[in-house]
Amino acid sequence: MTFSLFTNFFQNLILKTETYYLQNSFNTSLRPTALAGVISKLEQLKNNTTSDNVTVGRQICLVNLQDQQEYQVELVYPQRHKPSAGRYSVISDLGVSLLGRSKGEMAEVNILGKPVLFMIKDVILAKK
């Protein structure tokens, strides 16, 4: 009984810590080559008129494959980064892993040194 309570508490703590990390992840320490890669990918996606690729201004429905929890996020430029409102920068850990992917693809984000796998359930143009 005590072990079960401790296990549930510990799993809950890990989930909250992962969520906190993901929401506050703003990876400003990207290496210059990684940042150049993000900029290059943004340039390629700028002219893409199909709505199935993840790029700035798109609303993305993600499913955490560990616990099946769904998240609604919008990919934005760094100055609009506000995780509490569901807006994640393209240079955050989550943004970098999602950029350019499409519906049905998987994205892996390292959270606290542990890989967390997300499936992109849907990609739509964000409402202004």
Side-chain angles (χ1 to χ4, degrees):
M1 173 80 171
T2 304
F3 180 74
S4 178
L5 285 173
F6 179 73
T7 303
N8 287 340
F9 172 76
F10 187 68
Q11 288 174 339
N12 225 359
L13 180 65
I14 289 174
L15 180 62
K16 288 182 190 246
T17 303
E18 288 175 350
T19 302
Y20 176 81
Y21 177 84
L22 189 60
Q23 289 181 344
N24 294 293
S25 158
F26 187 57
N27 193 353
T28 57
S29 62
L30 283 178
R31 293 185 181 136
T33 54
L35 188 56
V38 169
I39 293 169
S40 173
K41 202 178 279 189
L42 282 169
E43 283 296 316
Q44 291 171 357
L45 292 168
K46 187 165 64 171
N47 299 322
N48 187 349
T49 57
T50 62
S51 64
D52 58 347
N53 282 18
V54 174
T55 189
V56 173
R58 299 285 163 84
Q59 190 79 32
I60 304 113
C61 179
L62 299 173
V63 177
N64 181 332
L65 295 179
Q66 279 182 307
D67 60 11
Q68 302 304 311
Q69 187 170 351
E70 287 191 18
Y71 299 91
Q72 295 288 330
V73 301
E74 180 184 355
L75 215 54
V76 296
Y77 289 113
Q79 64 271 24
R80 293 196 58 224
H81 179 79
K82 188 173 183 183
S84 61
R87 295 191 308 257
Y88 291 83
S89 169
V90 294
I91 63 170
S92 68
D93 294 339
L94 181 63
V96 168
S97 67
L98 290 174
L99 191 61
R101 298 194 186 275
S102 59
K103 181 178 176 178
E105 286 190 61
M106 306 295 172
E108 186 177 295
V109 180
N110 280 321
I111 299 176
L112 302 173
K114 181 176 84 171
V116 177
L117 197 59
F118 292 93
M119 184 190 73
I120 300 171
K121 186 175 177 181
D122 202 8
V123 179
I124 57 172
L125 191 57
K127 296 175 184 170
K128 297 293 175 185

